Amino acid sequence: MAETHAEDILPDISDRDQDTVASKPKPPANTSEHDVVIVGGSLAGCATAILLGRAGARVALLEKSPDADAFKRICSHYIQSSAIGTLERLGLLEPMMQAGAVRSRVRLWTRAGWVEPPRVSIVPSGVNLRRSRLDPLIRELAASTAGVELMLGYSAQELLREDGRVCGVQAHGQGGETIQLHARLVVGADGRGSRMAKLAGVTRKTAPHGRIAYGGYYEGPQPQGAPASTLWIMDPDMVAAFPTDSGYTFYAAMPTKDRLPEFRSDPQAALERFVAGVPDAPPIAKSRLLQPVQGKVDMTNVLHRPIADGFALVGDAAGALDPLWGVGCGFALQSAEWLADSVAPALSGAEPLEDGLKRYRRHHARGLGGHTRTILDYATGRKMNMGERMLFSAASYDERTGRVFEAFGSRNIGPVRMLAQGVPLAMLATARRSISRRSRSRSGTTAVAA
Ligand SMILES: Cc1cc2nc3c(=O)[nH]c(=O)nc-3n(C[C@H](O)[C@H](O)[C@H](O)COP(=O)(O)OP(=O)(O)OC[C@H]3O[C@@H](n4cnc5c(N)ncnc54)[C@H](O)[C@@H]3O)c2cc1C
């Protein structure tokens, strides 16, 4: 499949604030030695740097934006509960809560009815904080970690190699200077469309994405169920409401691509029409848009082999998946943790680096493989199949299935474990219920609600 690059549209700004001019960082000597060079100072890069710095490594963390407060602009930032342990370990959850973060479960509407968060949950709540607050927080934590040198305004351009093995990075500074950083391990945390992955020549796979995403922050009455986040799976379209800090709500629509013309011609009107049209609609009509609605049109799923000789990828650089299920931030943090834990022994000299990298690749595949397959399968923009409809239906009325389903949807367990927890039996019961309803309705004995 041809390579496709993500295109941000309306308004025409990039993910990073290009205009912000920060005080110029001090140029370092034009070559230096570290244990690890990390390219990309967002969630995945900062988390990797913090954990490796704490493990005793000397880390250079390169971020092309010169602004310590830069943040990813196109993101609805619902962080799944699977990443709560990582946030706690980083020491970030508490500062996030102080910055106004909202702990939030998910309620879902499908044609089978509402799937409310279970009364007794077996997983922690997810968390929601605007990226304009989250990104500076984690970058500040990285910069203050012993052993981590945050280098703002440096854009990595080339990988350095020795006998074919990656051994460093060449980067350009804001003033046009070129620096070379040598290290035993180079980490690409440079997001979707990773240049580092391309330069490393790792295997790349893409899978189609059939939807567009538009969203904006609104101030106004809270949606029903807040602080829970709500998803309306209109099948194949999707609408979401994410209550977040400061009492704001991020409303998003992810319709299939054939709806692009109406969103392009008036994004705000199209978003508000879409959100207001769902069952039990949230109060978007009584709310005020805070900033222009943002959209993303191309969200082709991109997967890279996460390791090469002297090299690893974390976060979106390793796998940029359909944002419909809100997994990217959590997976960025979790993959960072898996990499740091896997290579720390090698960096302290206890084993060859190759062993640590292989361990990371196995952990990455085990942790995300099942989720990735199910996410790619629905990303095409197709409608739900019979099995999926039965699953949602079973979760909507059976408390136990609802609990297991929440553990899966919040990415705490994979699809195999979910199915092993007796969920197929509940799905079977759903099928029986629906068949007996239908036959009762045909024989005219009962009026059947839709
Ligand atoms: C529409 C949309 C909605 C989303 N909603 C959610 C959601 O609700 N929940 C969720 O969990 N995820 C969501 N995501 C996904 C989430 O935004 C990403 O998965 C997450 O930001 C990935 O983090 P990262 O650190 O891997 O990459 P990024 O956050 O993309 O960071 C990459 C960093 O690398 C830097 N960089 C790039 N190239 C270079 C270079 N050459 N040199 C130096 N620095 C470089 C960039 O400036 C940037 O700081 C959404 C995505 C989209 C598109």
Side-chain angles (χ1 to χ4, degrees), residues 325-343:
W325 304 106
V327 295
C329 298
F331 288 178
L333 296 162
Q334 290 175 269
S335 59
E337 182 177 24
W338 298 334
L339 175 66
D341 288 347
S342 300
V343 299

Side-chain angles (χ1 to χ4, degrees), residues 340-362:
D341 288 347
S342 300
V343 299
L347 293 173
S348 66
E351 63 179 17
L353 180 61
E354 200 191 354
D355 291 358
L357 287 175
K358 282 187 182 155
R359 194 177 304 123
Y360 169 58
R361 184 167 72 95
R362 284 195 299 273

